[in-house]
């Protein structure tokens, strides 16, 4: 008898209940108040009187199995065996007595994991996959993050910024990193170079044509082979054609650089959510430590720390003093690339409601 076919094993995201600390499970939705006894520690008190302390530590995100085991051993020995990761790759340990907090912090520090990232600190950077996990990156977001946080560790372990500072990075212009007070994103500045020999073998041409947001790609015959051509006047160098068709070579050591954007915010607190704005571009993509990126980010952060009023986010500060003053104070050059005068969206963008993948 033929064996039954193997069925896909897809369970989706597991129910979280099994992984919640028992105090959190018991008091789910019944918390009364919370405070932060020190940077990196949250203290929650439930309506019924139960208390829980959460200790937050920074990780390098791309972790080998030995580092993960080390963190789990710390959780078992010092923290009642429960952890969770935040979206910014911080690890949080939960304990139900205050007496466990200091030994846990000492152990984490001794093992090289800084405790902090809460309140008005520079928390870990939410970032994209980089070379290890994605197939289209122009840089290694995770590496840039590790290098940058090595330099910003003093602002991670203290809460001395005017308000919280949330950074993001993205390793291509599709930007799955999202909005941030400071966003550090790769920016391509030239259209893709097409490897015509490969297109017919590798790409589904209609898919590639449909991907382009400004309809700049057309099918074409090149040297007798089915290929594609790009209207370079229309191309906005977004890189969206590269994932479905790697022969659309957009990554380039000279023309794929870092750009830094400022003033993005997801929350509704104090002011509306905002999009970030370009403040620096053409910064070299310079692994393994990306020192030029760090220099610009540190300059923006130190100016913000010195100049902003209490509780102003970076975008709110820039809006209050005005963007010309922002460039003056940070010393970043204002160039023609900062002027967004593109008015072609209505005529050029693929605005159809049909999804064509
Ligand atoms: S930002 Fe781009 S390259 Fe980086 S993980 Fe996201 S899609 Fe991949
Ligand atoms: S998808 Fe983006 S990079 Fe590719 S041709 Fe269109 S605009 Fe240019």
């Amino acid at each position: 008898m033929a064996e039954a076919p193997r069925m896909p094993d897809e369970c989706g995201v597991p129910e979280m209940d099994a992984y919640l600390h028992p105090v959190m499970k018991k008091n789910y939705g019944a918390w009364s108040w919370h405070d932060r006894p020190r940077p990196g520690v949250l203290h929650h008190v439930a309506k019924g009187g139960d208390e829980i302390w959460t200790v937050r530590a920074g990780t390098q995100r791309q972790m080998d199995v030995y580092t993960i085991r080390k963190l789990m051993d710390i959780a078992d020995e010092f923290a009642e065996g429960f952890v969770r990761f935040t979206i910014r790759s911080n690890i949080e340990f939960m304990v139900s007595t205050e007496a466990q907090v200091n030994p846990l912090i000492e152990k984490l520090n001794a093992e090289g994991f800084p405790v902090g990232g809460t309140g008005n600190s520079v928390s870990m950077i939410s970032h994209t996959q980089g070379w290890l996990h994605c197939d289209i990156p122009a840089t290694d977001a995770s590496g840039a993050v590790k290098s940058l946080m090595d330099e910003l560790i003093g602002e991670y372990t203290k809460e001395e910024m005017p308000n919280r500072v949330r950074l993001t990075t993205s390793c291509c212009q599709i930007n799955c990193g999202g909005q941030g007070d400071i966003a550090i994103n790769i920016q391509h500045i030239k259209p893709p170079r097409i490897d015509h020999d490969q297109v017919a073998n590798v790409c589904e041409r209609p898919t590639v044509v449909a991907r382009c947001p400004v309809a700049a790609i057309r099918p074409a015959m090149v040297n007798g082979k089915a290929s594609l051509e790009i209207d370079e006047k229309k191309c906005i160098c977004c890189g969206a054609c590269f994932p479905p068709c790697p022969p659309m070579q957009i990554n380039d050591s000279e023309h794929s650089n870092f750009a830094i954007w400022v003033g993005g915010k997801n929350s509704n607190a104090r002011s509306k959510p905002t999009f970030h704005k370009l403040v620096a571009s053409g910064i070299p993509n310079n692994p393994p430590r990306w020192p030029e990126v760090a220099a610009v980010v540190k300059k923006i952060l130190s100016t913000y720390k010195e100049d902003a009023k209490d509780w102003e986010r970076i975008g709110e500060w820039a809006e209050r003093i005005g963007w010309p003053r922002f460039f003056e104070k940070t010393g970043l050059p204002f160039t023609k690339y900062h002027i967004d005068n593109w008015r072609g969206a209505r005529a050029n963008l693929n605005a159809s409601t049909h999804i064509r993948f």
Side-chain angles (χ1 to χ4, degrees), residues 128-130 134-139 141 169-177:
T128 54
Q129 310 301 321
C134 194
D135 55 353
I136 57 170
T139 189
T169 63
S170 285
C171 35
C172 82
Q173 240 174 344
I174 290 170
N175 182 17
C176 59

Side-chain angles (χ1 to χ4, degrees), residues 36 38-42 54-57 105 115-119 156-157 159:
R36 290 195 310 277
R38 54 150 282 172
V41 179
L42 312 168
T54 304
V55 176
R56 180 180 294 178
I105 292 174
V115 171
T118 50
Y156 178 87
T157 53
E159 296 182 353

Side-chain angles (χ1 to χ4, degrees), residues 309-324:
K309 292 183 180 168
D310 286 352
W311 303 109
E312 267 178 338
R313 293 284 289 261
I314 292 186
E316 294 164 345
W317 160 66
E319 289 292 339
R320 177 176 59 80
I321 63 173
W323 287 95

Side-chain angles (χ1 to χ4, degrees), residues 24 27 85 100 145 171 214 254 271 276-277 303 315 343:
M24 301 189 78
N27 296 288
F85 283 93
Q100 289 167 286
V145 165
C171 35
V214 292
E254 197 183 331
S271 58
H276 46 222
K277 294 184 170 62
T303 314
R343 294 288 175 270

Side-chain angles (χ1 to χ4, degrees), residues 34-354:
H34 71 273
D35 63 354
R36 290 195 310 277
R38 54 150 282 172
V41 179
L42 312 168
H43 168 224
H44 286 81
V45 180
K47 288 180 181 147
D50 286 343
E51 294 177 76
I52 193 162
W53 285 261
T54 304
V55 176
R56 180 180 294 178
T59 74
Q60 65 270 49
R61 184 173 186 231
Q62 303 283 21
M63 286 187 281
D64 58 274
V65 72
Y66 301 102
T67 308
I68 295 169
R69 283 204 180 123
K70 188 187 284 177
L71 286 166
M72 297 309 110
D73 287 344
I74 294 173
D76 284 338
E77 202 180 329
F78 291 85
E80 302 171 358
F82 289 87
V83 297
R84 64 184 170 208
F85 283 93
T86 71
I87 200 166
R88 302 185 170 274
S89 309
N90 294 301
I91 186 169
E92 293 186 340
F93 299 82
M94 274 70 64
V95 292
S96 56
T97 65
E98 192 173 6
Q100 289 167 286
V101 172
N102 281 337
L104 174 57
I105 292 174
E106 279 162 23
K107 178 67 178 168
L108 285 165
N109 285 335
E111 296 290 350
F113 299 101
V115 171
T118 50
N120 293 358
S121 65
V122 177
S123 194
M124 250 294 275
I125 304 175
S126 75
H127 60 102
T128 54
Q129 310 301 321
W131 290 327
L132 206 53
H133 289 303
C134 194
D135 55 353
I136 57 170
T139 189
D140 186 32
S142 308
V145 165
K146 171 72 173 79
S147 309
L148 194 51
M149 287 313 288
D150 281 350
E151 304 219 18
L152 297 177
I153 188 169
E155 297 297 350
Y156 178 87
T157 53
K158 289 185 246 145
E159 296 182 353
E160 292 182 351
M161 283 287 163
N163 200 336
R164 61 186 59 204
V165 177
R166 298 297 178 257
L167 312 186
T168 71
T169 63
S170 285
C171 35
C172 82
Q173 240 174 344
I174 290 170
N175 182 17
C176 59
Q179 296 291 318
D181 292 296
I182 302 178
I184 303 149
N185 297 342
I186 274 285
Q187 192 177 41
H188 304 295
I189 55 170
K190 77 162 189 39
R193 184 178 46 79
I194 306 176
D195 180 348
H196 293 289
D197 289 338
Q198 292 298 327
V199 171
N201 303 336
V202 179
C203 313
E204 269 190 40
R205 292 188 305 155
T207 313
V208 189
V209 170
R211 273 294 181 101
C212 181
V214 292
I217 307 176
R218 287 187 294 261
M221 294 297 287
V222 179
N223 300 331
K225 281 190 177 171
S227 187
L228 299 162
E229 67 181 8
I230 296 173
D231 180 344
E232 296 198 352
K233 282 201 186 113
K234 279 186 176 177
C235 174
I236 53 172
C237 311
C238 69
C241 49
F242 179 58
C245 183
M248 308 289 280
Q249 286 293 327
I250 190 141
N251 287 342
D252 180 288
S253 56
E254 197 183 331
H255 299 100
S256 300
N257 294 317
F258 268 105
I260 292 184
W261 306 65
V262 159
K265 170 160 119 38
N266 296 318
S267 82
N268 278 307
R270 288 174 48 98
S271 58
K272 289 181 191 165
T274 48
F275 284 125
H276 46 222
K277 294 184 170 62
L278 179 74
V279 298
S281 60
I283 304 167
N285 178 14
N286 193 4
R289 301 296 292 179
W290 293 272
E292 298 85 355
V293 172
V296 176
V297 172
K298 287 198 309 193
K299 181 72 192 142
I300 296 169
L301 283 175
S302 61
T303 314
Y304 162 67
K305 188 174 179 181
E306 207 172 284
D307 199 61
K309 292 183 180 168
D310 286 352
W311 303 109
E312 267 178 338
R313 293 284 289 261
I314 292 186
E316 294 164 345
W317 160 66
E319 289 292 339
R320 177 176 59 80
I321 63 173
W323 287 95
R325 294 280 290 152
F326 171 90
F327 282 96
E328 238 173 75
K329 281 175 184 273
T330 53
L332 296 172
F334 185 82
T335 68
K336 63 179 182 178
Y337 300 109
H338 294 102
I339 299 169
D340 178 10
N341 61 355
W342 191 63
R343 294 288 175 270
R346 187 167 287 259
N348 289 339
L349 283 180
N350 265 342
S352 156
T353 51
H354 294 279

